[in-house]
Amino acid sequence: MNASYLTRLRTGALSAIATDLLSKKDSKVLTVICTGAMTFEQVLGVLEVRKIENIHLVNPTIEKAEAFKERLRTMFVQPDITVHLLGSLSAIIQQADIICCSTRSETPVFDGNEIQPGTHVNGVGSYLPHMREVDFNFIERCDKIVVDDFAGVSDEAGELIHANQQDTWSFDSLHGELQEIASGDISSRENDEEITFFKCVGAAYFDLAVGHGVYKKADTAEIGTDIDL
């Protein structure tokens, strides 16, 4: 199994689960900030769980965003898709029901004060302590911050590490891990005004789980070659 694709697949799947549990049920507008390697499966994941009508693609270069748009079209993605240059995001951010960020930025890519009540954000970039996709204003405004793996984010999620160094926020402020919502141990979205944030840095056991699932399907379908080791 291709390890790079496996990681993109399971990250998109995690964001899909988080979006299903944390975004408004009637979410229609998706804003995608940066159209890099991790982004395509993020968009497909959101489209699996919400009836998106408009997608805003935001990227430092228009050409790459246009290529990303055409790639979505080859998958028969139907929502209206517009392309924007990274920079003046105020109006786009305020229109969004769901935002997906998958950047390597060391500075926040949007103004947290622009986020409207009811917005859900998936953050799968900034996977090193010095990186920050979202600002502290946004973190303070969040009603629920959910993570994929607490040990991972406490060591790697730059924006949360930075927030933990401030006086008014700590890792104790986290709502919990995604698996706790999925199992019903903690609450998901409770009203249409909550601002929610899913932070994902990844963990090997997620890859293992998806890999095992792929293996079982291949074994059932008798696809592949048996090798004696």
Side-chain angles (χ1 to χ4, degrees):
M1 282 170 272
N2 182 294
S4 178
Y5 174 68
L6 193 67
T7 297
R8 298 196 306 271
L9 179 65
R10 63 92 170 147
T11 306
L14 284 171
S15 290
I17 295 169
T19 299
D20 194 29
L21 295 171
L22 292 169
S23 73
K24 293 181 297 184
K25 299 297 183 185
D26 63 348
S27 294
K28 294 180 175 59
V29 181
L30 168 64
T31 293
V32 180
I33 301 180
C34 278
T35 55
M38 292 293 293
T39 312
F40 194 70
E41 287 74 21
Q42 295 290 308
V43 175
L44 296 184
V46 171
L47 293 177
E48 282 293 317
V49 299
R50 289 293 180 268
K51 294 181 179 180
I52 299 299
E53 297 178 357
N54 296 281
I55 301 175
H56 299 296
L57 301 177
V58 182
N59 203 66
T61 57
I62 290 292
E63 294 78 13
K64 288 186 177 180
E66 289 288 356
F68 189 94
K69 174 181 176 179
E70 291 309 308
R71 188 180 174 197
L72 287 174
R73 290 301 188 206
T74 66
M75 298 290 290
F76 303 102
V77 171
Q78 298 302 315
D80 182 54
I81 303 174
T82 56
V83 173
H84 308 270
L85 190 66
L86 185 65
S88 180
L89 289 178
S90 180
I92 301 168
I93 291 297
Q94 292 180 48
Q95 294 171 24
D97 296 309
I98 301 167
I99 299 173
C100 286
C101 296
S102 52
T103 79
R104 297 181 180 179
S105 181
E106 297 181 10
T107 57
V109 294
F110 61 80
D111 182 349
N113 291 319
E114 300 283 358
I115 296 293
Q116 298 299 297
T119 305
H120 171 67
V121 178
N122 295 312
V124 304
S126 60
Y127 51 85
L128 294 173
H130 67 279
M131 295 178 174
R132 288 175 61 197
E133 282 188 315
V134 303
D135 62 20
F136 186 57
N137 288 335
F138 170 69
I139 290 174
E140 281 200 306
R141 293 186 63 209
C142 285
D143 296 285
K144 288 184 173 72
I145 299 178
V146 177
V147 301
D148 61 338
D149 179 80
F150 177 77
V153 298
S154 61
D155 287 337
E156 300 171 13
E159 55 268 278
L160 296 184
I161 292 172
H162 173 266
N164 189 56
Q165 296 167 349
Q166 312 308 306
D167 294 334
T168 56
W169 195 91
S170 74
F171 282 113
D172 291 337
S173 304
L174 291 174
H175 184 58
E177 292 184 330
L178 184 60
Q179 62 179 335
E180 295 179 283
I181 298 183
S183 63
D185 292 334
I186 60 176
S187 60
S188 56
R189 173 176 286 273
E190 295 178 88
N191 60 69
D192 284 350
E193 297 301 306
E194 286 187 319
I195 296 174
T196 56
F197 181 34
F198 173 59
K199 180 61 191 176
C200 174
V201 295
Y205 61 84
F206 292 124
D207 289 350
L208 179 62
V210 175
H212 182 59
V214 172
Y215 170 78
K216 288 197 298 182
K217 284 182 175 293
D219 187 46
T220 300
E222 297 183 348
I223 298 171
T225 304
D226 290 331
I227 300 174
D228 292 326
L229 298 177

